[in-house]
């Protein structure tokens, strides 16, 4: 093997940073209504966000998402092993889009963050890690617990004022993963 392709080495261009915003915290009725994917390109870093305009469009969202998730890529998440990826896998199966998430490997940054910083940081949420370790304080960020209600509000009356905050929150989560 060359160094570029030996086990344990990952090319930056093969990393896909994934974060979901959902209608709840688990269970069969939980739907990912916003999925953000970021990746390094030759010109910088691109983020694509897939927003579910209505429940009937979930299959189309998931099919589009497959273009981001290809077998040679390594998916990077924060708590994705316990939440994001099982949820996406279940939604792929329920909607008959795929039987699994196509990827080479998965890196969940929550686990090494907890191992390295649990004594220093009592709260290892992504926003707290970003603040405590990197000194970045988000401005105008929407609290995570409000995100599902903003989506339901948008579905009911098409109010986009708070939806832009949800999109910005998701985008910031992906940048923090990077």
């Amino acid at each position: 093997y060359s160094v570029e392709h030996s086990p344990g080495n990952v090319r930056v261009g093969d990393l896909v940073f994934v974060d979901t915003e959902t209608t709840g915290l688990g269970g069969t009725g939980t739907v990912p209504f916003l999925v953000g994917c970021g990746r390094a390109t030759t010109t910088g870093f691109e983020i694509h966000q897939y927003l579910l305009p209505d429940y009937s469009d979930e299959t189309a969202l998931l099919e589009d998402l497959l273009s981001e998730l290809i077998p040679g890529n390594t998916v990077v998440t924060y708590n994705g092993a316990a939440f994001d990826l099982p949820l996406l896998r279940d939604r792929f199966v329920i909607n008959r889009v795929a039987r699994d998430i196509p990827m080479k490997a998965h890196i969940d940054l929550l686990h090494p963050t907890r191992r390295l910083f649990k004594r220093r940081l009592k709260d290892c949420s992504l926003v707290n890690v970003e603040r405590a370790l990197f000194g970045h304080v988000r401005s105008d960020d929407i609290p995570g617990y409000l995100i599902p209600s903003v989506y339901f509000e948008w579905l009911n009356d098409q109010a986009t004022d708070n939806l832009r905050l949800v999109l910005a929150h998701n985008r910031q989560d992906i940048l923090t993963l990077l």
Side-chain angles (χ1 to χ4, degrees), residues 63-129:
E63 288 171 344
D64 286 346
L65 183 58
L66 279 178
S67 68
E68 301 276 353
L69 305 172
I70 56 175
N73 287 339
T74 296
V75 174
V76 181
T77 64
Y78 200 82
N79 197 31
F83 187 74
D84 302 78
L85 296 189
L87 175 64
L88 287 173
R89 186 176 297 114
D90 288 349
R91 301 314 297 180
F92 279 141
V93 170
I94 288 168
N95 287 278
R96 297 180 178 194
V97 171
R99 291 181 181 253
D100 207 351
I101 298 171
M103 62 183 170
K104 179 179 179 181
H106 175 225
I107 300 170
D108 188 336
L109 295 174
L110 174 63
H111 305 292
T113 301
R114 279 186 178 156
R115 271 187 240 114
L116 291 169
F117 300 105
K118 69 181 174 185
R119 291 178 192 237
R120 184 170 142 196
L121 304 175
K122 299 300 179 211
D123 174 8
C124 284
S125 66
L126 188 59
V127 172
N128 191 55
V129 167

Side-chain angles (χ1 to χ4, degrees), residues 2-170:
S2 70
V3 173
E4 294 175 2
H5 298 95
S6 63
N9 290 327
V10 178
R11 291 181 337 112
V12 173
D14 291 339
L15 297 174
V16 179
F17 301 86
V18 176
D19 185 55
T20 63
E21 306 304 334
T22 65
T23 58
L25 294 177
T28 309
T30 301
V31 174
F33 69 84
L34 175 61
V35 183
C37 298
R39 72 174 58 241
T41 67
T42 56
T43 59
F45 190 74
E46 287 184 7
I47 296 174
H48 297 155
Q49 292 176 298
Y50 299 88
L51 179 65
L52 185 63
D54 202 341
Y55 285 105
S56 61
D57 298 312
E58 184 180 12
T59 300
L61 180 145
L62 295 169
E63 288 171 344
D64 286 346
L65 183 58
L66 279 178
S67 68
E68 301 276 353
L69 305 172
I70 56 175
N73 287 339
T74 296
V75 174
V76 181
T77 64
Y78 200 82
N79 197 31
F83 187 74
D84 302 78
L85 296 189
L87 175 64
L88 287 173
R89 186 176 297 114
D90 288 349
R91 301 314 297 180
F92 279 141
V93 170
I94 288 168
N95 287 278
R96 297 180 178 194
V97 171
R99 291 181 181 253
D100 207 351
I101 298 171
M103 62 183 170
K104 179 179 179 181
H106 175 225
I107 300 170
D108 188 336
L109 295 174
L110 174 63
H111 305 292
T113 301
R114 279 186 178 156
R115 271 187 240 114
L116 291 169
F117 300 105
K118 69 181 174 185
R119 291 178 192 237
R120 184 170 142 196
L121 304 175
K122 299 300 179 211
D123 174 8
C124 284
S125 66
L126 188 59
V127 172
N128 191 55
V129 167
E130 178 178 278
R131 180 178 41 249
L133 298 181
F134 302 109
H136 177 71
V137 179
R138 294 186 188 192
S139 62
D140 204 25
D141 189 38
I142 185 167
Y145 71 90
L146 289 178
I147 289 175
S149 62
V150 169
Y151 178 66
F152 295 132
E153 179 183 300
W154 177 68
L155 283 179
N156 287 331
D157 60 18
Q158 301 298 304
T160 59
D161 295 346
N162 291 325
L163 189 61
R164 69 173 179 75
L165 296 174
V166 174
L167 291 164
H169 176 90
N170 178 262

